[in-house]
mmCIF file of all heavy atoms in Angstrom:
data_model
loop_
_atom_site.group_PDB
_atom_site.id
_atom_site.type_symbol
_atom_site.label_atom_id
_atom_site.label_comp_id
_atom_site.label_asym_id
_atom_site.label_seq_id
_atom_site.Cartn_x
_atom_site.Cartn_y
_atom_site.Cartn_z
ATOM 1 N N VAL Y 267 26.446 7.123 -7.486
ATOM 2 C CA VAL Y 267 26.946 6.448 -6.275
ATOM 3 C C VAL Y 267 25.973 5.442 -5.907
ATOM 4 O O VAL Y 267 25.082 5.626 -4.983
ATOM 5 C CB VAL Y 267 27.140 7.509 -5.247
ATOM 6 C CG1 VAL Y 267 27.758 6.855 -4.026
ATOM 7 C CG2 VAL Y 267 27.980 8.651 -5.708
ATOM 8 N N LEU Y 268 25.922 4.279 -6.571
ATOM 9 C CA LEU Y 268 25.008 3.195 -6.247
ATOM 10 C C LEU Y 268 25.452 2.463 -5.048
ATOM 11 O O LEU Y 268 24.678 2.144 -4.174
ATOM 12 C CB LEU Y 268 24.812 2.306 -7.448
ATOM 13 C CG LEU Y 268 23.928 2.936 -8.537
ATOM 14 C CD1 LEU Y 268 23.903 2.003 -9.670
ATOM 15 C CD2 LEU Y 268 22.500 3.173 -7.979
ATOM 16 N N ASN Y 269 26.712 2.105 -4.943
ATOM 17 C CA ASN Y 269 27.222 1.567 -3.737
ATOM 18 C C ASN Y 269 28.692 1.983 -3.540
ATOM 19 O O ASN Y 269 29.225 2.714 -4.421
ATOM 20 C CB ASN Y 269 27.211 -0.041 -3.773
ATOM 21 C CG ASN Y 269 27.851 -0.458 -4.985
ATOM 22 O OD1 ASN Y 269 28.950 -0.001 -5.347
ATOM 23 N ND2 ASN Y 269 27.275 -1.505 -5.612
ATOM 24 N N ASP Y 270 29.157 1.698 -2.311
ATOM 25 C CA ASP Y 270 30.455 2.317 -1.929
ATOM 26 C C ASP Y 270 31.547 1.832 -2.851
ATOM 27 O O ASP Y 270 32.482 2.563 -3.159
ATOM 28 C CB ASP Y 270 30.794 1.917 -0.564
ATOM 29 C CG ASP Y 270 29.742 2.525 0.434
ATOM 30 O OD1 ASP Y 270 29.330 3.684 0.153
ATOM 31 O OD2 ASP Y 270 29.544 1.942 1.449
ATOM 32 N N VAL Y 271 31.385 0.614 -3.258
ATOM 33 C CA VAL Y 271 32.549 0.051 -4.026
ATOM 34 C C VAL Y 271 32.624 0.686 -5.402
ATOM 35 O O VAL Y 271 33.700 1.123 -5.821
ATOM 36 C CB VAL Y 271 32.315 -1.443 -4.243
ATOM 37 C CG1 VAL Y 271 33.451 -1.953 -5.070
ATOM 38 C CG2 VAL Y 271 32.290 -2.134 -2.816
ATOM 39 N N SER Y 272 31.429 0.892 -6.071
ATOM 40 C CA SER Y 272 31.527 1.520 -7.330
ATOM 41 C C SER Y 272 32.023 2.941 -7.218
ATOM 42 O O SER Y 272 32.712 3.487 -8.092
ATOM 43 C CB SER Y 272 30.159 1.486 -8.026
ATOM 44 O OG SER Y 272 29.311 2.384 -7.450
ATOM 45 N N ASP Y 273 31.648 3.553 -6.048
ATOM 46 C CA ASP Y 273 32.140 4.879 -5.745
ATOM 47 C C ASP Y 273 33.621 4.964 -5.660
ATOM 48 O O ASP Y 273 34.322 5.745 -6.237
ATOM 49 C CB ASP Y 273 31.488 5.278 -4.478
ATOM 50 C CG ASP Y 273 31.757 6.814 -4.173
ATOM 51 O OD1 ASP Y 273 32.034 7.538 -5.189
ATOM 52 O OD2 ASP Y 273 31.679 7.255 -3.087
ATOM 53 N N ALA Y 274 34.129 3.971 -4.883
ATOM 54 C CA ALA Y 274 35.583 3.886 -4.769
ATOM 55 C C ALA Y 274 36.283 3.682 -6.050
ATOM 56 O O ALA Y 274 37.284 4.355 -6.429
ATOM 57 C CB ALA Y 274 35.980 2.699 -3.806
ATOM 58 N N ASN Y 275 35.707 2.834 -6.926
ATOM 59 C CA ASN Y 275 36.224 2.591 -8.210
ATOM 60 C C ASN Y 275 36.265 3.831 -8.979
ATOM 61 O O ASN Y 275 37.281 4.094 -9.730
ATOM 62 C CB ASN Y 275 35.394 1.516 -8.970
ATOM 63 C CG ASN Y 275 35.637 0.076 -8.425
ATOM 64 O OD1 ASN Y 275 36.591 -0.131 -7.801
ATOM 65 N ND2 ASN Y 275 34.747 -0.759 -8.737
ATOM 66 N N ARG Y 276 35.214 4.551 -8.869
ATOM 67 C CA ARG Y 276 35.037 5.727 -9.693
ATOM 68 C C ARG Y 276 36.218 6.824 -9.307
ATOM 69 O O ARG Y 276 36.767 7.304 -10.110
ATOM 70 C CB ARG Y 276 33.718 6.382 -9.487
ATOM 71 C CG ARG Y 276 33.255 7.337 -10.552
ATOM 72 C CD ARG Y 276 31.842 7.662 -10.492
ATOM 73 N NE ARG Y 276 31.473 8.184 -9.101
ATOM 74 C CZ ARG Y 276 31.391 9.476 -8.921
ATOM 75 N NH1 ARG Y 276 31.570 10.325 -9.872
ATOM 76 N NH2 ARG Y 276 31.179 9.912 -7.728
ATOM 77 N N ASN Y 277 36.352 6.901 -7.967
ATOM 78 C CA ASN Y 277 37.322 7.770 -7.518
ATOM 79 C C ASN Y 277 38.723 7.489 -7.965
ATOM 80 O O ASN Y 277 39.435 8.336 -8.497
ATOM 81 C CB ASN Y 277 37.404 7.854 -5.988
ATOM 82 C CG ASN Y 277 36.131 8.560 -5.422
ATOM 83 O OD1 ASN Y 277 35.622 9.310 -6.217
ATOM 84 N ND2 ASN Y 277 35.849 8.268 -4.192
ATOM 85 N N GLU Y 278 38.995 6.142 -7.899
ATOM 86 C CA GLU Y 278 40.330 5.695 -8.367
ATOM 87 C C GLU Y 278 40.434 6.007 -9.803
ATOM 88 O O GLU Y 278 41.424 6.403 -10.281
ATOM 89 C CB GLU Y 278 40.457 4.266 -8.037
ATOM 90 C CG GLU Y 278 40.774 3.973 -6.575
ATOM 91 C CD GLU Y 278 40.599 2.569 -6.286
ATOM 92 O OE1 GLU Y 278 40.388 1.730 -7.170
ATOM 93 O OE2 GLU Y 278 40.641 2.193 -5.069
ATOM 94 N N GLY Y 279 39.312 5.675 -10.548
ATOM 95 C CA GLY Y 279 39.337 5.843 -12.025
ATOM 96 C C GLY Y 279 39.634 7.246 -12.356
ATOM 97 O O GLY Y 279 40.474 7.591 -13.173
ATOM 98 N N SER Y 280 38.911 8.200 -11.748
ATOM 99 C CA SER Y 280 39.081 9.595 -12.099
ATOM 100 C C SER Y 280 40.410 10.072 -11.711
ATOM 101 O O SER Y 280 41.009 10.943 -12.401
ATOM 102 C CB SER Y 280 37.933 10.390 -11.461
ATOM 103 O OG SER Y 280 38.021 10.368 -10.128
ATOM 104 N N GLU Y 281 40.918 9.631 -10.552
ATOM 105 C CA GLU Y 281 42.168 10.158 -10.139
ATOM 106 C C GLU Y 281 43.285 9.731 -11.151
ATOM 107 O O GLU Y 281 44.191 10.566 -11.538
ATOM 108 C CB GLU Y 281 42.556 9.622 -8.857
ATOM 109 C CG GLU Y 281 42.145 10.519 -7.684
ATOM 110 C CD GLU Y 281 42.528 9.950 -6.347
ATOM 111 O OE1 GLU Y 281 43.736 10.021 -6.060
ATOM 112 O OE2 GLU Y 281 41.699 9.342 -5.581
ATOM 113 N N THR Y 282 43.193 8.483 -11.545
ATOM 114 C CA THR Y 282 44.292 7.965 -12.491
ATOM 115 C C THR Y 282 44.060 8.703 -13.808
ATOM 116 O O THR Y 282 45.059 9.017 -14.472
ATOM 117 C CB THR Y 282 44.099 6.476 -12.767
ATOM 118 O OG1 THR Y 282 42.714 6.198 -12.987
ATOM 119 C CG2 THR Y 282 44.690 5.684 -11.577
ATOM 120 N N GLU Y 283 42.865 9.052 -14.162
ATOM 121 C CA GLU Y 283 42.628 9.761 -15.390
ATOM 122 C C GLU Y 283 43.293 11.089 -15.372
ATOM 123 O O GLU Y 283 43.793 11.518 -16.305
ATOM 124 C CB GLU Y 283 41.169 9.857 -15.714
ATOM 125 C CG GLU Y 283 40.555 8.709 -16.551
ATOM 126 C CD GLU Y 283 39.128 8.804 -16.692
ATOM 127 O OE1 GLU Y 283 38.568 9.898 -16.523
ATOM 128 O OE2 GLU Y 283 38.571 7.785 -16.956
ATOM 129 N N GLU Y 284 43.086 11.753 -14.197
ATOM 130 C CA GLU Y 284 43.691 12.996 -14.127
ATOM 131 C C GLU Y 284 45.180 12.989 -14.226
ATOM 132 O O GLU Y 284 45.823 13.844 -14.871
ATOM 133 C CB GLU Y 284 43.328 13.677 -12.741
ATOM 134 C CG GLU Y 284 41.999 14.417 -12.785
ATOM 135 C CD GLU Y 284 41.655 15.014 -11.466
ATOM 136 O OE1 GLU Y 284 42.544 15.544 -10.758
ATOM 137 O OE2 GLU Y 284 40.461 14.976 -11.089
ATOM 138 N N SER Y 285 45.814 11.975 -13.680
ATOM 139 C CA SER Y 285 47.284 11.769 -13.741
ATOM 140 C C SER Y 285 47.629 11.465 -15.251
ATOM 141 O O SER Y 285 48.667 12.022 -15.732
ATOM 142 C CB SER Y 285 47.785 10.754 -12.854
ATOM 143 O OG SER Y 285 47.266 9.464 -13.280
ATOM 144 N N GLU Y 286 46.789 10.712 -15.927
ATOM 145 C CA GLU Y 286 47.113 10.433 -17.352
ATOM 146 C C GLU Y 286 46.971 11.681 -18.144
ATOM 147 O O GLU Y 286 47.771 11.910 -19.116
ATOM 148 C CB GLU Y 286 46.107 9.364 -17.786
ATOM 149 C CG GLU Y 286 46.641 7.952 -17.516
ATOM 150 C CD GLU Y 286 45.554 6.932 -18.096
ATOM 151 O OE1 GLU Y 286 45.038 7.229 -19.098
ATOM 152 O OE2 GLU Y 286 45.431 5.930 -17.432
ATOM 153 N N SER Y 287 46.050 12.552 -17.772
ATOM 154 C CA SER Y 287 45.668 13.714 -18.639
ATOM 155 C C SER Y 287 46.867 14.637 -18.743
ATOM 156 O O SER Y 287 46.972 15.511 -19.552
ATOM 157 C CB SER Y 287 44.483 14.439 -18.078
ATOM 158 O OG SER Y 287 44.830 14.947 -16.916
ATOM 159 N N GLN Y 288 47.825 14.472 -17.857
ATOM 160 C CA GLN Y 288 49.040 15.358 -17.982
ATOM 161 C C GLN Y 288 49.733 15.025 -19.278
ATOM 162 O O GLN Y 288 50.401 15.900 -19.853
ATOM 163 C CB GLN Y 288 49.926 15.177 -16.780
ATOM 164 C CG GLN Y 288 49.338 15.786 -15.506
ATOM 165 C CD GLN Y 288 50.054 15.341 -14.287
ATOM 166 O OE1 GLN Y 288 50.986 14.512 -14.400
ATOM 167 N NE2 GLN Y 288 49.677 15.866 -13.089
#
Side-chain angles (χ1 to χ4, degrees):
Chain Y
V267 187
L268 283 175
N269 54 45
D270 292 331
V271 178
S272 74
D273 191 19
N275 286 343
R276 199 167 58 97
N277 284 342
E278 283 164 10
S280 60
E281 268 181 75
T282 47
E283 268 175 21
E284 270 179 41
S285 64
E286 274 178 35
S287 65
Q288 288 167 356

